[in-house]
């Protein structure tokens, strides 16, 4: 197997966990360069010795075998992704905000230049939801998607159902590295809406943006002890919605707790398929990025929103 030289943008919760996986193997990967916002910052995971620290723009135009973006945000990453894809460099990211805003353009550019675009970690953390939806979409028979796609709010709502306050539950989710850098994305339902738009785009072969999702978050929600409320994301080919809902404790959605994500995929004349597991955190999310890199190492060149043809 050929050695893959990668450039990494971001050394936070997910980026530093990916760095540890790359160093540990077994894939033949070499971390060629790295970018962060503030190279001089004191950090719990120090930047690795012997790896060039450059700007994100330098990473994007370095002509590497892949660029991995684990920084977050929308407009700056759009520039990095355009630069890399335009040069034919495979682009791997966990950035759902970028894909639910500019995914159509980036997928088209990737197809034009024959560059791979992969984003398993953008939905479901470590759970291969996008791959499963892609697989089931091959027959064109997905009728509905329904799930719990945001770990921070599941963590908060399950803790609040056991008596914790909203503020304490949010602080715990932030300290553990589950929440977005701007946690309003989690509690206002935007993170779940971005993930739903990405899944729906893959399910029905027509790109949807976050702005097409009707959205209600959990800000200020009160949960009485014993009540089971989850931030439920639901899509058909025509409608996309995210809202907090009371669910049966014994149901698949009601059984989620902590950082669980769960997706139900209803296939016409095929029944309901379920996939779930840990939806956030450095190690599990980096595992999904690593799995994308494994596909590149083995010579695959998948393009997100590229269809099944
Ligand atoms: P994080 O801990 O806040 O780390 C972000 C990293 O990116 C930091 O190293 C930061 O640099 C760097 N960065 C941010 N903006 C930058 C810029 N403009 N230029 C250069 N570097 C920049 O974030 P995270 O939790 O790892 O999340 C990263 C991405 O993964 C996000 O898109 C997020 O939505 C996604 N994601 C996260 C999880 C999770 O569980 N955390 C799960 C799935 C997907 P400094 O270190 O200098 O600040
Ligand atoms: N903030 C996100 C969540 C991280 O809580 O689900 C995983 O995408």
């Amino acid at each position: 197997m050929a050695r893959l030289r990668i450039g990494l943008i971001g050394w936070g919760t997910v980026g530093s966990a990916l760095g540890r996986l790359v160093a540990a193997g077994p894939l033949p990967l070499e971390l060629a360069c790295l970018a962060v916002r503030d190279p001089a910052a004191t950090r719990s995971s120090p930047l690795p010795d012997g790896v060039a620290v450059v700007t994100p723009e330098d990473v994007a135009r370095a002509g590497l075998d892949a660029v991995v973006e684990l920084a977050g945000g929308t407009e700056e990453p759009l520039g990095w992704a355009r630069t890399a894809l335009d040069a034919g460099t495979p682009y791997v990211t966990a950035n759902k905000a970028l894909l639910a805003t500019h995914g159509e353009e980036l997928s088209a550019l990737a197809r034009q230049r024959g560059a791979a675009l992969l984003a398993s970690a953008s939905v479901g953390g470590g759970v291969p939801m996008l791959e499963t939806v892609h697989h089931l979409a091959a027959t064109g028979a997905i009728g509905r998607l329904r799930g719990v796609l945001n770990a921070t709010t599941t963590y908060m709502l399950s803790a609040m159902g056991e008596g914790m306050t909203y503020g304490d539950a949010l602080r715990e989710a932030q300290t553990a590295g589950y929440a977005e850098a701007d946690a309003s994305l989690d509690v206002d339902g935007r993170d779940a809406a971005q993930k739903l738009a990405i899944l729906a785009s893959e399910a029905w072969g027509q790109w949807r943006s976050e702005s097409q999702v009707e959205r209600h978050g959990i800000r200020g929600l009160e949960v009485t002890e014993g009540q089971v409320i989850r931030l439920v994301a639901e899509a058909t080919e025509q409608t996309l919605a995210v809202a907090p809902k009371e669910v049966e404790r014994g149901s698949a959605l009601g059984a989620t707790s902590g950082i669980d994500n769960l997706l139900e995929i209803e296939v016409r004349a095929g029944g309901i398929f379920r996939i779930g597991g840990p939806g956030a955190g450095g190690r599990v999310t980096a595992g999904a990025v690593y799995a994308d890199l494994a596909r590149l190492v083995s010579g695959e060149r998948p393009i997100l929103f590229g269809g099944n043809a």
Side-chain angles (χ1 to χ4, degrees), residues 96 149-152 178-180 186 191 195 279-280:
K96 52 266 181 171
L149 302 176
N150 179 266
T152 299
Y178 306 142
E180 296 300 301
D186 297 290
D191 176 84
K195 291 166 174 167

Side-chain angles (χ1 to χ4, degrees), residues 212-289:
Q212 289 169 262
V213 183
E214 187 189 324
R215 172 177 57 84
H216 299 276
I218 68 155
R219 196 186 283 270
L221 195 79
E222 286 181 13
V223 183
T224 51
E225 235 169 298
Q227 202 179 16
V228 186
I229 297 180
R230 294 291 176 264
L231 186 64
V232 178
E234 273 183 284
T236 64
E237 197 162 356
Q238 289 78 32
T239 60
L240 297 97
V242 168
K245 292 199 171 149
E246 184 153 10
V247 291
E248 293 287 329
R249 183 177 294 280
S251 67
L253 293 188
T256 56
S257 67
I259 57 167
D260 286 345
N261 275 202
L262 180 83
L263 179 65
E264 296 182 335
I265 307 156
E266 193 181 302
V267 176
R268 285 188 285 271
I272 295 179
F273 294 76
R274 291 191 179 86
I275 180 165
R283 172 59 181 82
V284 294
T285 307
V289 179

Side-chain angles (χ1 to χ4, degrees), residues 77-189:
L78 173 64
W80 311 331
R82 278 179 178 156
T83 301
L85 291 170
D86 196 39
T89 304
Y91 202 78
V92 180
T93 187
N95 187 339
K96 52 266 181 171
L98 171 70
L99 296 168
T101 313
H102 299 295
E104 187 173 36
E105 175 195 327
L106 294 177
S107 179
L109 180 58
R111 271 173 278 152
Q112 219 176 67
R113 298 290 187 233
L117 176 62
L118 293 109
S120 179
S122 67
V123 183
V127 187
M129 288 185 179
L130 262 173
E131 293 88 330
T132 307
V133 167
H134 180 83
H135 177 93
L136 293 172
T139 57
I142 294 181
R144 178 183 296 271
L145 303 172
R146 183 166 189 260
V148 164
L149 302 176
N150 179 266
T152 299
T153 49
T154 304
Y155 185 90
M156 291 174 67
L157 292 167
S158 43
M160 286 159 69
E162 287 164 13
M164 195 182 283
T165 65
Y166 177 100
D168 284 348
L170 176 56
R171 264 186 297 280
E172 280 195 4
Q174 286 176 301
T175 305
Y178 306 142
E180 296 300 301
D182 171 3
S184 70
L185 292 168
D186 297 290
V187 297
D188 291 335

Side-chain angles (χ1 to χ4, degrees), residues 39-75:
T42 308
R43 29 185 102 242
S44 50
S45 295
L47 301 181
D49 289 334
V51 177
V53 180
V54 297
T55 67
E57 291 75 17
D58 287 338
V59 174
R61 60 174 168 244
L64 297 162
D65 298 318
V67 168
V68 182
E69 185 260 295
L70 301 172
T74 316
E75 297 316 310

